[in-house]
Amino acid sequence: MKKIALFLFMVFAFSAKAQLFETTTLASKGVNGKVTSIINTYYEFVAEKGLQKSVVEIERFDKNGNLINISRDELLTGNKYSYTYELDKKGILEVEKIANGATGLNLRNTKYDYKKGLLATTTQVQGLITTVKNYTYNDKGQLIETEVAEDGEVKGVVYNERDAQNRITKTSQKLTGEEVARVISTFEYKEEGTNEITSETRATANGTFSIVTLTDKTTKLKVQETTKNLGNNQQSILKHYFENDAQGSWIKSEVLDQQFGRSSLVLRKISYADGQTTGRTDMTAEDDRAQYIRQSSAQSSVAINGKIASATSPNLISGTNDHITYVASSNATIVLKGYNNNVNRSTWYEGVIVSHNPEDIFWAGGPTYLTIFQKGLILTKGKSKYDVGTNSVNYLDSQDKSFLAIKDPDEEFGLHKVEFLDNNLFWGKMTDSTYAFISKGYGLGVRKQLEMPDGSRLISTSTSKDGWYLLTDFRSKYDNGKPGDIHVATKLTEPLKRLKERYPSINFNHFVYDNLANSKYRLKTSDGTIVTNLAETSTRAPDDQLVTYFSLTGEYLRMDGIYEKPDDKEFPNQPVTVLSKGEESIYYLYNENKNITYYVNGTRLVNSNLGSRKLYADQVKYGAVVYDTIFNTSYGMQYDLKGTARVGPMKALPWNTAHTYIMKLEKEQWVIFTKGETLGIYDYSLMDGDDVVHFYTTASNAVKAYRFKGFKDIKLGEFLPAEMVLDMDVASLASKLKVDPSKPKENVEAVRAKPNTFKKVAGSYYLWDEKGNPINDYLQFFGDLGDSDALVHDTLNNVTYQLEGYFTQDDIEGATKIAIGPNDHKALKWEEKNLAFFINGESQLDVRRIYVNNLPESETWSELVYDISSGSTYYAEYPQKAGYFMGDIKKLPIDDEKVVLTKLKDGRFSFAKEGTLDKSTTFTSDIYQGDLIYVTGVENKKAYRFKGFEKAEYLDLLFPEILSDSELSAIIKEIDAKKKGGND
């Protein structure tokens, strides 16, 4: 009985589909256009494993689009089936044959017979059993009755009642031996929006169920199904999702079960008759689905494709009821829709995967009070923000990049992916009368500004060294914009050159001024452009001249004779003298060199001390220190009273707590200045190796000392800052230096010895070169690097010596050898991760490094090392494990372009230029004759050809050839022609 009931249910299900049993149409399968084949790949939920590939089905069609056969491979069971369909000339299905796909053995045949265009009988033979189904129709051609007979014996009848639209309203079945037909299902229909709603009440052996199905009226595809057990309120909501190709055929169908958190998926690959192919058969990250349950305040479960995954604790997305989390196993950032901290869940809720890139960053909330997330966590450090109206400019230290947070007034709150900008400079309209200049999330004050002829604005910031910036189309953007608008600003490299290119009519190389009434003036370029706002506030010099500083050109300008003319008249186009160019701080001699004054960034120092001393006894060339008593800053300078120069540069001296400096005089003598005042030449000062040490006594009779490091190497007239000697070292240092303080201490010349040897005595060492001459000066000792030998570097000749066995005992004599010569390129590794690079024998600190291979399983790591000082790139290999290692590094032949491309897996690559990985998205690449063609940039486009890319091995390095515009055009034309299937 159970077998018959199941069989009749299948009959009902089959009968409900159609009246005419033609072969399945493409339209009924959701396909538009003629196709030759469809590959269906089914993914089903498997406990503990989540979504698994279960069935691969290949459907083939004839030239008229009729289904002719299906091959079905059930991966989870191992079963294989082959379906074959025989049609008549009109495309009506006559015979269906099902065979074992592995053995070819026939399993079941079904013959279809028709009468007056309607299916009358199906005869199905399976093994020794023959099943016949007879179909009866009403006068409208609607199927109302199906009789099922097995081996000539009637087993039962299924009855259908239908409405005027041929929709089934009730289904009943009567089995042999039963007097009355039993109602199986009743149906109700209605429309709601774009959907048709079918409500079915179905009676089964397991209870009575309510099934509500939503079908899209246009596509006829199911979009949702809700099943409810009327006996115990158990319900399951199945949501169907479809994705179409460009022709409107569905290529992806997905079902989510909200109660059990399971999902199923069908991917289709469609081959059209015109040769086009759409869809796919394998899952990608975009197919991943997330769901969640909150069981308690301490436990929430997140499932990816039905499999439970470990996730971070959910964080609230500001301004919403959603939360954000991160699943490391899938690199997935997930939004938990409608997550409620106070409500436990019994069904699964929607989780939206917004990213599979762990580097992606998001913001939420209002732009002026936003929260920033990465990997589901809230970023709390390394960020700065500047509000512009209801929007903001944000900067992250970890990225060294900025992004804009902008929200329209009517836009709902939600999660936004951070879109980083290459520029960190912006300006924003604050109000109808103010704007702000923003750098790295901070507002900078605007010092100088000038509106250019095209409405752009030239500005400099409150820190003059920050440079000059152009706010393009400022006037139109400001006048036509609204508060909260944010625009990109441009920093001008070589500002004079860039301004000359953009505004060729403005001549910043020559100035005049208008002498206005009442001691006013107007500074102009020679073409008449007024640039008064770009100059610093002018200062009246003691010689009755007016001086200003024009920082754009780095010039001190004197507006000649401004106080010599009547003050009640105007005198246009008066001459301007350039006093100095390229110096921020200057001295200015006047009155036949009898007086001197000083300027810093155009402002005259008024409260200052000057200490000076002749550099040569028989000349009037002086070295001097000027001390600014207001800002506690010292400047060094040289001037010649008999020279022709009346203006010269002052250099800011390195700050030290004592404001004390030493200046070198002739014959290795010196003078010391404190806060601009002279302390004397030799008093209590003497040489200690390359340094000068100065002893002095405080008012409380305590002896103190300064050390001036590297005095021996500086040039005449140069300055060194003082370094305090610790009190505990002063006495021992004074005892050590028992020499006449009026004469420099003479070095004792070391004796000759056996070549290439060293001697170590109580922690001190002596070293002799290959000729047996002592090496006394310019030595750098590296210390213990984990090897028994020591390394000593001669900084003068760029030679590193290896002292063999140095660390084996305290007193030792031994041999030396040159470990790194002046022309060698070496990598030195010690302990776990300490690395130093020697280029041309010299240790280089200013390098940029990019790993080529640092995989944990690799015995040898490698990296690209870019030497900024020389502009050369090197390739270094060294063992991963901790310990001492010294080996050669190879200079790469790319000095001109400074570009290296590294071949990665799956045709991917990394592109490095000047020691920095190029992470921009403004490049294109293609394969040509096995080579990689790489085109970078938009405005300054450059094209490279990396030969042998396809044949290169994993982590191989490739070097570029530069393509001219004509070569690139020819290659692109050939590539495009091949993609189209022929030549133009």
Side-chain angles (χ1 to χ4, degrees):
M1 190 71 175
K2 182 178 179 182
K3 179 180 178 182
I4 295 175
L6 177 62
F7 183 77
L8 287 177
F9 178 74
M10 294 174 63
V11 170
F12 153 69
F14 186 77
S15 303
K17 289 182 181 178
Q19 299 174 52
L20 292 176
F21 282 76
E22 300 177 0
T23 185
T24 306
T25 64
L26 290 172
S28 69
K29 298 177 71 64
V31 176
N32 292 322
K34 291 186 178 181
V35 302
T36 57
S37 68
I38 299 175
I39 302 176
N40 299 296
T41 306
Y42 296 84
Y43 294 83
E44 295 181 4
F45 174 82
V46 178
E48 307 299 331
K49 294 183 179 180
L51 210 58
Q52 301 290 302
K53 184 183 288 189
S54 61
V55 177
V56 176
E57 208 174 58
I58 302 176
E59 304 175 338
R60 294 178 176 84
F61 300 83
D62 63 16
K63 63 181 180 180
N64 295 319
N66 297 317
L67 179 65
I68 54 177
N69 62 66
I70 300 174
S71 61
R72 179 181 175 89
D73 187 358
E74 297 181 351
L75 304 177
L76 298 182
T77 64
N79 296 328
K80 297 178 183 290
Y81 299 97
S82 174
Y83 297 75
T84 304
Y85 301 93
E86 296 178 3
L87 316 174
D88 66 9
K89 293 181 181 181
K90 296 181 180 180
I92 303 298
L93 175 64
E94 291 185 326
V95 178
E96 177 195 57
K97 296 180 179 180
I98 304 176
N100 187 308
T103 64
L105 241 130
N106 187 276
L107 300 177
R108 188 177 79 188
N109 289 348
T110 304
K111 184 175 181 298
Y112 297 83
D113 295 309
Y114 301 87
K115 186 177 181 179
K116 296 182 180 181
L118 300 176
L119 180 66
T121 304
T122 60
T123 304
Q124 178 180 287
V125 179
Q126 184 171 347
L128 299 178
I129 300 175
T130 300
T131 302
V132 177
K133 302 172 189 174
N134 296 306
Y135 303 94
T136 303
Y137 303 85
N138 61 18
D139 56 1
K140 296 180 180 179
Q142 298 172 338
L143 178 64
I144 58 173
E145 183 177 312
T146 303
E147 180 189 72
V148 179
E150 186 176 293
D151 292 334
E153 181 183 351
V154 176
K155 297 294 183 179
V157 181
V158 175
Y159 303 96
N160 293 326
E161 296 181 13
R162 298 176 178 269
D163 61 14
Q165 285 79 40
N166 198 21
R167 298 178 303 193
I168 298 175
T169 57
K170 183 170 71 175
T171 298
S172 305
Q173 72 175 14
K174 180 182 179 183
L175 301 180
T176 300
E178 294 180 345
E179 296 183 1
V180 180
R182 292 183 295 104
V183 176
I184 297 175
S185 296
T186 58
F187 298 86
E188 293 181 359
Y189 303 92
K190 65 178 180 178
E191 293 186 0
E192 188 174 283
T194 59
N195 295 322
E196 295 177 347
I197 301 177
T198 303
S199 299
E200 176 188 359
T201 302
R202 182 185 302 177
T204 72
N206 296 320
T208 303
F209 291 83
S210 167
I211 305 169
V212 180
T213 303
L214 276 68
T215 304
D216 186 282
K217 290 191 294 188
T218 302
T219 65
K220 302 303 180 182
L221 296 175
K222 189 186 299 183
V223 294
Q224 182 172 313
E225 184 175 277
T226 304
T227 303
K228 184 177 181 181
N229 188 325
L230 297 179
N232 58 19
N233 290 326
Q234 184 181 11
Q235 62 179 346
S236 176
I237 300 176
L238 302 179
K239 288 191 176 181
H240 295 241
Y241 300 86
F242 295 89
E243 180 180 308
N244 297 337
D245 62 13
Q247 301 198 50
S249 305
W250 73 260
I251 53 176
K252 176 181 175 182
S253 169
E254 182 179 10
V255 179
L256 287 186
D257 188 322
Q258 285 191 334
Q259 181 179 356
F260 302 106
R262 298 192 294 254
S263 64
S264 63
L265 175 70
V266 182
L267 297 178
R268 286 212 303 197
K269 184 176 181 180
I270 304 175
S271 298
Y272 289 94
D274 62 2
Q276 294 187 52
T277 301
T278 63
R280 53 196 161 82
T281 59
D282 291 320
M283 288 182 64
T284 61
E286 67 192 55
D287 300 313
D288 289 349
R289 279 284 189 177
Q291 293 168 283
Y292 75 92
I293 281 181
R294 181 184 182 276
Q295 295 98 324
S296 66
S297 59
Q299 184 178 3
S300 297
S301 293
V302 176
I304 302 287
N305 296 329
K307 182 180 180 181
I308 302 297
S310 178
T312 59
S313 297
N315 279 303
L316 176 66
I317 299 175
S318 305
T320 73
N321 293 323
D322 303 333
H323 281 59
I324 189 170
T325 187
Y326 177 74
V327 174
S329 59
S330 302
N331 288 330
T333 300
I334 302 170
V335 174
L336 308 180
K337 303 295 289 183
Y339 187 96
N340 191 321
N341 271 325
N342 301 313
V343 178
N344 298 335
R345 305 291 189 184
S346 60
T347 61
W348 290 82
Y349 282 72
E350 182 182 6
V352 178
I353 298 176
V354 294
S355 170
H356 276 289
N357 183 359
E359 302 303 319
D360 282 347
I361 297 174
F362 299 85
W363 69 270
T368 59
Y369 53 93
L370 53 77
T371 306
I372 301 176
F373 304 96
Q374 186 176 35
K375 295 183 179 180
L377 303 177
I378 298 174
L379 293 182
T380 58
K381 296 182 179 179
K383 59 183 181 180
S384 51
K385 179 172 70 73
Y386 192 90
D387 296 336
V388 180
T390 58
N391 301 317
S392 65
V393 176
N394 301 267
Y395 173 77
L396 295 182
D397 288 340
S398 60
Q399 306 290 324
D400 189 25
K401 286 188 177 181
S402 298
F403 69 91
L404 303 183
I406 296 175
K407 178 179 175 294
D408 294 331
D410 298 331
E411 180 186 355
E412 293 184 358
F413 291 100
L415 194 69
H416 304 262
K417 181 181 175 182
V418 165
E419 300 294 342
F420 284 111
L421 303 173
D422 292 334
N423 203 323
N424 280 325
L425 302 169
F426 307 89
W427 70 271
K429 183 172 181 177
M430 302 297 291
T431 68
D432 287 333
S433 59
T434 60
Y435 77 95
F437 181 74
I438 306 145
S439 174
K440 294 186 176 182
Y442 291 98
L444 301 181
V446 177
R447 299 174 69 246
K448 304 296 174 185
Q449 56 184 317
L450 178 68
E451 194 149 310
M452 306 304 284
D454 63 353
S456 300
R457 180 159 293 199
L458 177 67
I459 69 168
S460 70
T461 60
S462 55
T463 305
S464 60
K465 291 185 179 179
D466 282 349
W468 291 85
Y469 307 85
L470 195 66
L471 313 185
T472 307
D473 299 327
F474 173 87
R475 179 49 52 201
S476 61
K477 291 176 179 177
Y478 189 88
D479 289 347
N480 300 325
K482 60 183 181 302
D485 288 350
I486 302 173
H487 307 282
V488 172
T490 303
K491 183 173 184 178
L492 297 177
T493 57
E494 301 181 281
L496 284 176
K497 179 180 178 181
R498 300 299 172 220
L499 291 172
K500 183 65 177 177
E501 293 170 353
R502 193 177 181 100
Y503 309 105
S505 63
I506 302 178
N507 181 10
F508 288 108
N509 295 321
H510 186 65
F511 298 90
V512 295
Y513 79 99
D514 293 338
N515 189 341
L516 307 177
N518 301 318
S519 300
K520 305 292 184 180
Y521 68 92
R522 183 165 49 225
L523 185 66
K524 304 187 298 187
T525 58
S526 58
D527 56 89
T529 302
I530 299 173
V531 293
T532 310
N533 288 340
L534 294 185
E536 300 297 329
T537 302
S538 58
T539 304
R540 184 170 183 169
D543 60 346
D544 288 333
Q545 296 288 349
L546 191 62
V547 176
T548 189
Y549 179 61
F550 199 75
S551 56
L552 178 62
T553 59
E555 293 174 316
Y556 278 90
L557 306 176
R558 187 179 69 204
M559 286 166 276
D560 298 335
I562 190 169
Y563 298 110
E564 296 175 357
K565 298 185 181 299
D567 201 29
D568 57 347
K569 296 181 180 179
E570 295 187 356
F571 301 90
N573 300 322
Q574 297 298 296
V576 170
T577 297
V578 178
L579 297 178
S580 174
K581 186 169 186 176
E583 303 293 341
E584 294 180 349
S585 306
I586 65 168
Y587 67 85
Y588 175 42
L589 291 167
Y590 56 94
N591 292 348
E592 296 181 356
N593 296 336
K594 293 179 181 179
N595 294 288
I596 187 171
T597 190
Y598 324 99
Y599 293 89
V600 176
N601 289 324
T603 301
R604 185 162 69 93
L605 296 184
V606 178
N607 298 306
S608 59
N609 299 331
L610 172 68
S612 64
R613 181 61 60 89
K614 287 184 178 181
L615 298 181
Y616 303 92
D618 57 347
Q619 297 182 14
V620 286
K621 187 173 184 180
Y622 286 81
V625 170
V626 177
Y627 174 69
D628 182 349
T629 61
I630 296 178
F631 293 102
N632 290 329
T633 305
S634 295
Y635 300 88
M637 63 183 185
Q638 296 179 26
Y639 58 92
D640 188 349
L641 295 181
K642 288 188 176 180
T644 57
R646 297 294 178 265
V647 179
M650 299 193 308
K651 299 296 182 184
L653 299 177
W655 186 89
N656 64 91
T657 56
H659 304 291
T660 297
Y661 304 88
I662 192 170
M663 181 180 72
K664 180 177 276 191
L665 303 175
E666 62 178 338
K667 300 178 182 179
E668 294 298 313
Q669 298 182 50
W670 58 80
V671 63
I672 298 173
F673 301 94
T674 293
K675 293 187 176 181
E677 297 180 355
T678 304
L679 289 182
I681 302 177
Y682 296 114
D683 293 347
Y684 305 105
S685 302
L686 57 163
M687 294 292 296
D688 180 23
D690 293 345
D691 306 341
V692 170
V693 177
H694 175 73
F695 294 92
Y696 65 99
T697 303
T698 66
S700 59
N701 292 322
V703 177
K704 304 284 186 179
Y706 299 130
R707 179 180 290 275
F708 301 95
K709 285 188 174 180
F711 175 83
K712 184 176 181 179
D713 295 333
I714 66 172
K715 298 178 181 178
L716 190 72
E718 289 187 349
F719 300 86
L720 285 176
E723 296 184 10
M724 294 293 298
V725 178
L726 296 176
D727 289 346
M728 60 185 295
D729 297 330
V730 171
S732 60
L733 186 59
S735 176
K736 171 189 172 184
L737 301 175
K738 289 182 178 179
V739 293
D740 186 346
S742 65
K743 296 180 180 179
K745 177 177 179 282
E746 297 292 334
N747 287 332
V748 178
E749 185 175 354
V751 298
R752 289 174 60 84
K754 184 179 179 180
N756 297 323
T757 60
F758 77 95
K759 182 178 181 180
K760 176 185 177 186
V761 180
S764 299
Y765 67 94
Y766 305 89
L767 185 64
W768 291 270
D769 65 14
E770 67 273 13
K771 296 181 181 179
N773 294 322
I775 306 175
N776 294 325
D777 301 323
Y778 314 110
L779 291 179
Q780 177 185 1
F781 187 77
F782 285 89
D784 188 354
L785 304 183
D787 191 73
S788 60
D789 299 342
L791 295 179
V792 175
H793 184 64
D794 178 352
T795 59
L796 182 63
N797 299 303
N798 279 340
V799 175
T800 300
Y801 295 89
Q802 187 171 343
L803 283 54
E804 298 177 352
Y806 181 90
F807 292 106
T808 58
Q809 51 187 309
D810 290 337
D811 298 318
I812 186 174
E813 295 183 20
T816 68
K817 63 179 180 181
I818 295 178
I820 305 174
N823 299 314
D824 292 340
H825 313 311
K826 298 278 187 180
L828 174 63
K829 183 176 186 289
W830 67 98
E831 294 178 350
E832 185 177 1
K833 295 182 180 179
N834 297 320
L835 273 169
F837 299 100
F838 291 79
I839 296 172
N840 290 323
E842 184 177 1
S843 174
Q844 295 294 335
L845 300 177
D846 197 12
V847 296
R848 297 174 184 157
R849 301 165 55 190
I850 300 175
Y851 279 114
V852 175
N853 177 20
N854 64 339
L855 298 176
E857 64 270 21
S858 299
E859 293 183 1
T860 300
W861 283 3
S862 57
E863 62 183 273
L864 299 173
V865 181
Y866 178 75
D867 176 25
I868 295 177
S869 60
S870 66
S872 299
T873 304
Y874 299 81
Y875 178 72
E877 283 188 317
Y878 48 86
Q880 180 200 165
K881 64 181 182 181
Y884 176 89
F885 168 82
M886 180 184 290
D888 292 333
I889 62 177
K890 179 183 178 183
K891 182 179 179 182
L892 302 181
I894 53 169
D895 282 358
D896 290 338
E897 285 304 313
K898 304 177 178 59
V899 164
V900 182
L901 185 137
T902 305
K903 175 73 174 290
L904 304 177
K905 292 181 180 178
D906 302 324
R908 296 179 298 112
F909 56 87
S910 65
F911 183 90
K913 184 177 180 65
E914 295 183 354
T916 302
L917 279 178
D918 186 1
K919 297 182 179 179
S920 69
T921 58
T922 58
F923 73 89
T924 58
S925 63
D926 218 324
I927 299 297
Y928 174 73
Q929 297 180 353
D931 304 339
L932 178 71
I933 308 301
Y934 184 98
V935 183
T936 182
V938 178
E939 296 181 356
N940 300 317
K941 183 169 69 176
K942 203 154 194 179
Y944 302 96
R945 181 174 185 171
F946 295 92
K947 289 195 171 180
F949 176 82
E950 284 195 317
K951 294 183 179 179
E953 299 293 332
Y954 175 52
L955 298 183
D956 278 358
L957 303 180
L958 291 92
F959 310 125
E961 288 186 5
I962 307 303
L963 295 176
S964 65
D965 290 343
S966 59
E967 290 173 327
L968 178 62
S969 297
I971 289 174
I972 292 175
K973 186 176 181 181
E974 189 171 341
I975 291 174
D976 289 342
K978 289 184 177 180
K979 288 181 178 178
K980 295 176 182 177
N983 294 321
D984 292 338

